[in-house]
Amino acid sequence: MGDPRLTPARADLAAKHLEGKVKAARFVAGDEFEISDPIVPVRERPATDAALLTQALKGERVTIYERGSEGFAWGQLNKDGYVGWLPDRALARPGANPTHKITSLRTFAFPGPSIKLPPAETLVLGNLVSVIGEDTLFAVTREGWHIPRQHLGSIEHNAGDFVALAERFIGTPYLWGGKSSLGIDCSGLVQVSLNAAGADCPRDSDMQQHSLGTPLPTGEISVLTRGDLIFWNGHVAIVRDADSIVHANAYHMSTVIEGTREAIARIKAAGSEIAAIKRMG
């Protein structure tokens, strides 16, 4: 069987397209749903205290193979292929295709055309919405939310410099499995930043090391340029310039800018050498 993080297969149940490739008691085709909440946990087991594997963001599509297990559903995120358990209440039947996405780290969705109203929801970077109308200050979504126009971009909008996008997360608390400015991990920072710049990116650092960029010699720190990725076992950092990196890490419990050589020495002292350096583009 393939990588269990990316393979919707269990001993009792598997995706129909895997029939003949994996062993399972039964195979189902699955149904497509849309993530309806701004940030949705994807967990290892169908329990609220189970390990957080990753997060799904509003507007993402997910193929669900099982529903109703103590309020959880089991499925696979369509964009990056991650498999896990999601809260069933956060799933909706797909509506109109999204037209816009949130381009600010966070924003409020108001129930009417006034910033003085109590917000109906807090949205985060990468959330997808369907806009049905606009006025001077707000875009109006199909839910009837009013979102400040400055915090929205068209669905085709790309951030450009993914490093600059990552730098906007400085100060964000570290959260294993996190993918937003409320909490993010090292590979989540890389994925969210590259996605905002219009590039596909797998979820975990080992997947990113395997599939992104072209290799550089691990001993040639002097050749590092903005946008390179440095990988260690279980960790990834983004190069800002010849002397510094930006990364979400558990040492600082935050997303920080750190001197490259200092970080390499600190991580080496903790027992990990550089595993790879990849050049993007």
Side-chain angles (χ1 to χ4, degrees):
M1 191 171 75
D3 189 331
R5 295 170 295 179
L6 303 174
T7 308
R10 312 183 324 227
D12 62 323
L13 177 68
K16 184 73 173 176
H17 67 84
L18 294 175
E19 195 164 7
K21 300 176 183 178
V22 301
K23 291 183 178 180
R26 62 190 178 99
F27 295 86
V28 297
D31 295 307
E32 187 174 86
F33 287 84
E34 181 180 302
I35 302 297
S36 59
D37 290 357
I39 307 170
V40 173
V42 180
R43 298 191 183 277
E44 188 176 43
R45 296 179 292 104
T48 55
D49 62 351
L52 182 68
L53 301 175
T54 185
Q55 293 174 326
L57 301 181
K58 178 178 173 60
E60 280 193 70
R61 301 297 169 91
V62 55
T63 302
I64 295 297
Y65 297 101
E66 181 184 35
R67 298 186 78 181
S69 181
E70 301 297 324
F72 284 84
W74 182 73
Q76 182 173 34
L77 302 179
N78 290 8
K79 187 171 178 62
D80 66 16
Y82 224 97
V83 174
W85 293 90
L86 300 87
D88 196 78
R89 57 161 183 77
L91 302 176
R93 290 293 179 182
N97 287 331
T99 61
H100 290 71
K101 57 188 175 183
I102 303 301
T103 55
S104 59
L105 287 187
R106 293 176 300 281
T107 191
F108 293 120
F110 297 95
S114 172
I115 61 173
K116 295 182 180 180
L117 293 171
E121 191 60 270
T122 301
L123 303 176
V124 298
L125 181 82
N127 281 172
L128 305 178
V129 296
S130 295
V131 171
I132 60 173
E134 295 189 31
D135 60 26
T136 305
L137 298 177
F138 298 100
V140 183
T141 71
R142 71 176 190 231
E143 297 94 341
W145 293 344
H146 290 64
I147 301 174
R149 291 178 59 181
Q150 302 97 315
H151 295 166
L152 278 173
S154 72
I155 202 74
E156 294 86 13
H157 172 84
N158 291 329
D161 181 2
F162 86 95
V163 184
L165 196 292
E167 291 170 335
R168 291 167 58 188
F169 282 88
I170 291 167
T172 296
Y174 181 85
L175 175 66
W176 180 273
K179 284 180 57 173
S180 84
S181 60
L182 300 178
I184 202 162
D185 66 13
C186 66
S187 55
L189 181 67
V190 172
Q191 186 187 48
V192 167
S193 301
L194 282 172
N195 284 172
D200 290 332
C201 179
R203 177 58 180 91
D204 292 344
S205 61
D206 63 319
M207 302 174 185
Q208 294 168 357
Q209 178 182 330
H210 177 74
S211 65
L212 295 178
T214 55
L216 296 176
T218 56
E220 297 295 325
I221 304 304
S222 60
V223 304
L224 292 176
T225 62
R226 187 174 178 86
D228 290 345
L229 300 176
I230 305 176
F231 292 92
W232 294 264
N233 181 27
H235 187 58
V236 59
I238 303 168
V239 175
R240 293 179 65 244
D241 53 36
D243 302 311
S244 66
I245 57 176
V246 56
H247 60 151
N249 65 93
Y251 177 81
H252 295 95
M253 284 306 295
S254 181
T255 298
V256 299
I257 291 173
E258 188 172 7
T260 305
R261 294 184 183 278
E262 291 83 352
I264 291 171
R266 175 176 61 75
I267 296 170
K268 182 177 181 179
S272 185
E273 298 273 3
I274 293 176
I277 298 173
K278 299 300 239 359
R279 176 149 293 167
M280 303 298 293

